[in-house]
Amino acid sequence: MDNRSSDNMKIRNSNGHLTSVVSVPILQLGLIIALSVCCFISQDANACGICPCAPTTYLYSANTLPNKDEFKWDSQIQDGLVSASAGLLNIDTTRSSLSYAMFSRCWNITNNLGVTVEARVRLNSYVGSRKKGAAGLWITDEGGGVILVIDDTGVSLYGSSYVYSMKTMDDFHIYRVVMKGTDAQVYVDGSLVIDGKSVYSSTVVKERSELVFGDGATDASGSSTWDYVKYWQHF
């Protein structure tokens, strides 16, 4: 009987007895090895969408100020104070209600596949209109996007009814936004807190496909401390 088409094949061991062993095709074995290496390299392998081992892209770790030469960030600052020390970025827009300070970086994302943005942030103070934000993440492609707003009462998706009440000024929290198609999910410290449907909007277009973080509100102000900002494209 020809066993070559079987998943298992039999070989004789050192005692002369037939022993069943699993036959793994070379291509399948190569894929297993590749995925294993990928998962070893990946810093967040369980949160990368369709490809479980998609590598994380760190856009900014707050050892220095975001700058165009090193990090490809553009800055938009009006009467705001920014500083970086001890691995943390501090943004303060409390000097006036018209102060703002934000940093933007062009990217080439495909929203139909999905993108995840994550930041570790602590809100220190807040004054002004609710749901406007003294800290936020703008996640856009060429057609539109979503804005995660962080104020002293919690988090929300700008322009929508999706709100989650929480303490944002007690400690650092990890805020994650997963945007795919017209939907966006918000996680705080690993827990899903907002499952936003049809929240993608053309009103948040910033003239280009980009990621923005900081304080861009002109009718609210505050101070925040940022540890890092990172993103990964789903595959």
Side-chain angles (χ1 to χ4, degrees):
M1 179 178 177
D2 188 357
N3 292 322
R4 285 176 296 178
S5 61
S6 173
D7 289 337
N8 296 337
M9 65 180 181
K10 293 183 178 181
I11 61 173
R12 293 187 181 275
N13 60 21
S14 60
N15 296 322
H17 300 294
L18 288 175
T19 303
S20 295
V21 297
V22 177
S23 176
V24 180
I26 294 178
L27 289 178
Q28 182 178 348
L29 179 61
L31 178 60
I32 293 173
I33 294 174
L35 286 175
S36 299
V37 173
C38 178
C39 288
F40 177 79
I41 295 174
S42 174
Q43 299 186 44
D44 202 342
N46 293 325
C48 299
I50 297 174
C51 176
C53 299
T56 297
T57 299
Y58 281 85
L59 287 184
Y60 176 65
S61 182
N63 294 314
T64 61
L65 290 176
N67 60 78
K68 193 166 187 177
D69 294 334
E70 183 177 0
F71 298 104
K72 309 302 181 184
W73 287 100
D74 291 320
S75 60
Q76 303 171 56
I77 301 173
Q78 176 175 299
D79 206 25
L81 301 176
V82 295
S83 63
S85 62
L88 298 173
L89 172 69
N90 298 293
I91 299 177
D92 189 338
T93 60
T94 58
R95 298 179 67 179
S96 77
S97 61
L98 298 178
S99 298
Y100 58 82
M102 51 188 176
F103 300 91
S104 60
R105 188 181 194 272
C106 288
W107 59 6
N108 184 25
I109 65 167
T110 303
N111 190 41
N112 288 335
L113 294 176
V115 63
T116 295
V117 177
E118 182 179 290
R120 185 171 183 263
V121 189
R122 181 185 66 214
L123 188 65
N124 302 315
S125 65
Y126 185 89
V127 177
S129 302
R130 296 297 184 271
K131 299 184 182 180
K132 298 296 184 180
L137 293 167
W138 290 254
I139 305 167
T140 68
D141 60 13
E142 294 181 352
V146 297
I147 303 174
L148 175 68
V149 175
I150 306 171
D151 64 24
D152 60 337
T153 64
V155 295
S156 60
L157 292 175
Y158 181 77
S160 77
S161 60
Y162 290 100
V163 179
Y164 177 70
S165 299
M166 61 171 288
K167 294 180 179 180
T168 56
M169 299 173 59
D170 60 335
D171 203 348
F172 280 94
H173 295 284
I174 297 175
Y175 301 95
R176 176 182 292 180
V177 181
V178 180
M179 183 174 75
K180 183 177 182 181
T182 62
D183 301 336
Q185 296 176 317
V186 179
Y187 295 80
V188 177
D189 299 327
S191 297
L192 177 65
V193 298
I194 293 177
D195 189 8
K197 303 299 183 182
S198 301
V199 292
Y200 178 93
S201 173
S202 61
T203 61
V204 301
V205 172
K206 302 287 291 183
E207 299 178 354
R208 57 183 182 177
S209 178
E210 63 182 0
L211 170 63
V212 183
F213 77 93
D215 178 4
T218 56
D219 47 4
S221 60
S223 62
S224 56
T225 303
W226 298 72
D227 183 13
Y228 65 79
V229 179
K230 63 182 179 180
Y231 89 99
W232 54 92
Q233 172 78 66
H234 300 187
F235 297 97

